[in-house]
Amino acid sequence: MDVLKQQVEPYDFHFDFLFPGNPFLRFPWESSDEGQATKLRSGLEELPNEVRKNHQKTGSPGFERGFLCKAVQRGATLNAEAPSHGSQSSLPGSVPKLKKKAPGHFWSTPPLRYDFKEQKEIQVGDWTGVEQSGRLRKPGRSRECDFHRLPGFMCEETAQVILEHCKKQTSRFSVEPDSVDKTPTFEYYPFQAGEWVDDAMRSLLEETIESRFLPYVRQRYGCRFCAVSDILVRRYLPGERRTHAVHFDGHAFVTAVLGLSRPDSYQGGLYIQPDAAVASRMYFRLEPGDLLVHSFDLQHGVHVWKGARYSLVFWIKDSLQAVRDRTTPWYDSLAAEGDPDALYNLAQNYEHGLFGRHLDLHKARELYERSAAAGHHFAQNNLGLLYRRLHEGGAGGDELQRSVYWLKAASEAGFAMAQKNLALAYANGQGVRRDDAQAVVWMRRAAEQLEVEAAYMMGEMYRRGRGVPADSSEAANWYQRSAEAGFPKAQYTLGMLYLEGTGQQADLRQAEMWLKFAARQGHAEAKNNVATMYAQRGEVEEASKIWEELAQSGEPNAQCNLGMAFLRGAGRDPDPKEASRWLSLAAAQGHQMAAQALASLAA
């Protein structure tokens, strides 16, 4: 051990920075058999058993990158344009052509505001005020969707007290993956599954809920027994998530959003998107105390360009029994009537085994197909992904053909999420011939529509020269857009580009800022690199705290670094036994430096 101490200075034991694009790992969407000829047959064959088992065990590699990425072998696919089963022989109806916009138009153009054109005076309990109403009829719908704003529903002073309370609940905000976009939620629940868990919020809200809020919802939506299921607080802060991708609140019969932050303190906010394309997006202005109420079938989301925004969200079910059982019974009658939104949401429940529905992929497929045939772009996208999932599970039919067919239907309607998924189909040769140029076309369309993961992937394409000439400056531009929208992988990569001086001038302060943003969102490589920055400037106690957190989760680089910290007494009291334990754990995962350190200890 003394020899090892002489060879390495106390603070030089740390790893070099973990850079994006590990040369020993494949590009995120590349298959492990890249470079081999794609095998085409007259009919789609089943995946080989060993490949199918690999798929079932590991799933799709998605967009994981760096040392956490594990390549998954893919089987041969068939070039196809449309499914050959059933009555669906052509796209369901004509799809609108998107108006051409200048590159980056939606990333820089101020958002449009929705202006309510109808209003009337109402009285609910002890509250007298104004109800402003809006209605939308979307393609493929059998009925209108309505939404309502109640200005001043809660007094501004109370809303301000709630906001200040929420700002203090830092430890309660979760970084668990969101169900919509899988990035950290940054939300907390003062009321969950019908029960209060925050007494301070209860004292501020309970009376208003019972005397005003529930009576209004029951009257407006003709639902005598509806009850609050959950209340959550969402925050959108610089460096954290800035978007909540367009979606439906499928688990709530009615959703209500109470404004907390002053709208002049941020840009953007809650929006509706009547059509598939982002061009139809319009934002609501909510003053503190304003309440916006809408039914489950309103397509909406959040995008905050600047500033900080907090909001209070109420999810209401149609009965107290549904709250207790965690079910969504209102979909059954609507789905029987053929309502596309109900069919779509019910299909999701069967696909994932949610809200009292047992897992049934065939039932999910049937419901998705009915909704997709009516032109529902969410259902078309999900159906395309479900067919891909069935193929990877070894279904052995023409699932990849059907997958591409429905992804194209939603993509050509302008739906950014489907465009991203179609781009991946072209990049991987899943149901179509592999075509990097087409992958770029569709990924760019999605990225131009504020799809933050697609913007990150455009950066990857330009950095690697995949489907486009390699261009580090253009890559940095796309990473910047995605990072500013809060996408953790883009924040990490942008931080490393600033560290390297690739695509822009090297800037250590910018590098550290973006790496810390990504680390705050749970990005393991970013955390490791932040610790490395601390260690390089001698702040070994801070570095060892981060390494310990990562090491406990099984990350081998951190395990090695923590072991060396115990070995050298850097940020930890010297402890050869603990050093050996952590080095052994890292070495067991194939970590060479840890293995060398163990060998030196043994000598």
Side-chain angles (χ1 to χ4, degrees):
M1 189 169 73
D2 293 337
V3 174
L4 189 61
K5 283 185 177 180
Q6 293 174 0
Q7 290 177 339
V8 184
E9 292 297 320
Y11 302 135
D12 283 346
F13 61 82
H14 61 267
F15 270 109
D16 290 335
F17 290 104
L18 298 173
F19 284 92
N22 187 325
F24 299 104
L25 295 168
R26 297 187 177 276
F27 201 43
W29 55 71
E30 288 176 353
S31 59
S32 58
D33 59 348
E34 182 181 4
Q36 300 179 8
T38 302
K39 187 180 296 183
L40 299 176
R41 302 185 186 277
S42 58
L44 187 67
E45 297 183 346
E46 291 187 9
L47 289 172
N49 289 334
E50 66 273 17
V51 177
R52 190 185 315 117
K53 290 177 181 179
N54 194 24
H55 269 289
Q56 293 170 340
K57 185 173 75 170
T58 63
S60 169
F63 294 121
E64 292 297 328
R65 60 195 311 279
F67 61 84
L68 299 179
C69 177
K70 295 182 179 179
V72 180
Q73 189 175 11
R74 301 185 186 278
T77 59
L78 179 68
N79 185 21
E81 295 299 328
S84 58
H85 79 297
S87 60
Q88 301 298 327
S89 59
S90 61
L91 294 184
S94 60
V95 291
K97 297 296 182 182
L98 298 179
K99 294 181 179 179
K100 290 186 177 180
K101 298 287 186 181
H105 170 83
F106 294 111
W107 289 92
S108 58
T109 303
L112 297 176
R113 191 174 75 184
Y114 183 86
D115 291 322
F116 288 89
K117 295 180 174 58
E118 299 179 22
Q119 71 175 40
K120 65 179 182 180
E121 291 188 0
I122 63 169
Q123 181 170 355
V124 180
D126 61 349
W127 183 79
T128 301
V130 172
E131 178 191 61
Q132 300 171 332
S133 299
R135 292 181 180 81
L136 295 176
R137 178 176 287 278
K138 296 186 291 183
R141 293 182 53 83
S142 58
R143 59 188 179 84
E144 290 184 329
C145 172
D146 61 289
F147 44 93
H148 310 274
R149 181 173 65 183
L150 283 66
F153 186 78
M154 177 179 286
C155 71
E156 187 174 339
E157 291 77 11
T158 303
Q160 186 64 33
V161 172
I162 293 173
L163 174 61
E164 293 305 314
H165 174 74
C166 294
K167 288 181 177 179
K168 296 176 183 177
Q169 308 307 307
T170 305
S171 62
R172 292 192 176 189
F173 282 88
S174 172
V175 291
E176 291 298 311
D178 186 79
S179 61
V180 175
D181 56 24
K182 310 306 179 187
T183 59
T185 58
F186 291 105
E187 64 186 21
Y188 93 92
Y189 288 77
F191 184 87
Q192 192 165 26
E195 300 290 340
W196 286 100
V197 294
D198 185 331
D199 290 337
M201 289 287 273
R202 180 176 187 171
S203 66
L204 292 168
L205 290 171
E206 189 170 41
E207 182 179 351
T208 299
I209 290 172
E210 295 299 328
S211 65
R212 297 183 188 178
F213 179 70
L214 280 177
Y216 170 77
V217 174
R218 288 166 179 164
Q219 177 182 327
R220 164 50 61 191
Y221 292 95
C223 183
R224 292 180 56 195
F225 304 107
C226 67
V228 177
S229 172
D230 302 277
I231 303 174
L232 64 151
V233 179
R234 283 210 176 101
R235 76 183 190 199
Y236 299 86
L237 304 182
E240 297 180 354
R241 69 177 301 133
R242 306 293 273 167
T243 66
H244 198 190
V246 62
H247 64 284
F248 296 91
D249 289 339
H251 49 281
F253 180 64
V254 173
T255 295
V257 180
L258 183 73
L260 295 180
S261 300
R262 296 185 182 279
D264 292 336
S265 67
Y266 62 89
Q267 183 179 354
L270 177 67
Y271 64 79
I272 55 171
Q273 186 173 312
D275 298 321
V278 70
S280 67
R281 190 172 291 184
M282 292 172 285
Y283 289 77
F284 292 115
R285 182 180 175 90
L286 293 179
E287 300 285 350
D290 289 359
L291 188 72
L292 184 87
V293 186
H294 64 83
S295 52
F296 70 88
D297 49 358
L298 182 69
Q299 182 174 293
H300 66 285
V302 175
H303 193 154
V304 177
W305 268 263
K306 296 179 181 179
R309 176 180 180 269
Y310 286 77
S311 63
L312 194 66
V313 182
F314 300 82
W315 286 330
I316 302 100
K317 293 184 181 291
D318 64 351
S319 68
L320 185 58
Q321 191 65 43
V323 173
R324 291 170 176 165
D325 297 341
R326 301 186 181 186
T327 56
T328 55
W330 57 90
Y331 287 133
D332 292 308
S333 59
L334 289 169
E337 297 172 6
D339 181 86
D341 292 309
L343 290 166
Y344 161 73
N345 283 295
L346 192 55
Q348 283 204 111
N349 292 347
Y350 278 111
E351 182 182 3
H352 302 291
L354 300 173
F355 306 116
R357 311 290 175 172
H358 60 279
L359 183 67
D360 188 337
L361 296 186
H362 294 291
K363 182 67 174 179
R365 180 179 62 184
E366 172 197 338
L367 294 167
Y368 277 140
E369 284 180 340
R370 291 172 61 192
S371 182
H376 199 289
H377 49 273
F378 268 93
Q380 291 169 345
N381 175 73
N382 284 25
L383 183 57
L385 296 180
L386 178 56
Y387 275 125
R388 185 185 296 176
R389 179 180 173 186
L390 290 171
H391 167 77
E392 292 175 349
D398 59 350
E399 282 75 17
L400 286 182
Q401 292 173 281
R402 303 180 195 179
S403 173
V404 170
Y405 166 72
W406 287 113
L407 290 178
K408 280 187 175 181
S411 296
E412 290 175 5
F415 189 34
M417 194 180 300
Q419 291 171 343
K420 177 183 69 178
N421 291 324
L422 181 60
L424 291 175
Y426 277 110
N428 287 317
Q430 294 176 308
V432 289
R433 290 184 182 275
R434 173 173 161 171
D435 188 331
D436 289 350
Q438 278 296 303
V440 169
V441 166
W442 289 107
M443 194 68 77
R444 188 188 301 277
R445 290 185 185 182
E448 291 284 5
Q449 292 200 85
L450 308 178
E451 218 294 343
V452 296
E453 189 173 38
Y456 160 74
M457 294 311 302
M458 282 301 301
E460 292 284 85
M461 288 170 159
Y462 273 109
R463 186 168 67 87
R464 293 296 188 94
R466 179 74 183 266
V468 290
D471 187 331
S472 59
S473 179
E474 187 65 16
N477 289 338
W478 282 110
Y479 288 136
Q480 184 87 28
R481 289 172 178 171
S482 182
E484 289 178 352
F487 193 60
K489 294 174 187 175
Q491 292 173 335
Y492 158 69
T493 307
L494 184 62
M496 297 310 296
L497 294 186
Y498 272 115
L499 192 67
E500 293 181 278
T502 302
Q504 65 265 300
Q505 187 175 357
D507 189 326
L508 188 60
R509 291 181 63 184
Q510 284 287 317
E512 185 169 353
M513 179 187 76
W514 287 112
L515 288 172
K516 284 183 175 179
F517 284 159
R520 188 190 304 172
Q521 298 203 65
H523 195 288
E525 291 164 292
K527 287 182 178 180
N528 187 88
N529 288 355
V530 168
T532 298
M533 297 181 87
Y534 283 134
Q536 283 188 343
R537 58 181 180 240
E539 299 176 26
V540 289
E541 289 187 7
E542 290 299 317
S544 62
K545 288 178 183 177
I546 298 173
W547 282 328
E548 183 171 17
E549 176 193 345
L550 288 170
Q552 294 284 359
S553 68
E555 206 290 300
N557 294 284
Q559 289 175 339
C560 177
N561 286 348
L562 183 61
M564 297 300 290
F566 276 114
L567 184 64
R568 302 301 177 77
R572 290 286 185 274
D573 292 333
D575 189 332
K577 185 176 180 181
E578 276 294 284
S580 179
R581 181 170 78 90
W582 288 112
L583 291 171
S584 297
L585 289 171
Q589 297 192 61
H591 203 289
Q592 294 184 359
M593 178 179 272
Q596 292 170 1
L598 280 172
S600 299
L601 276 171

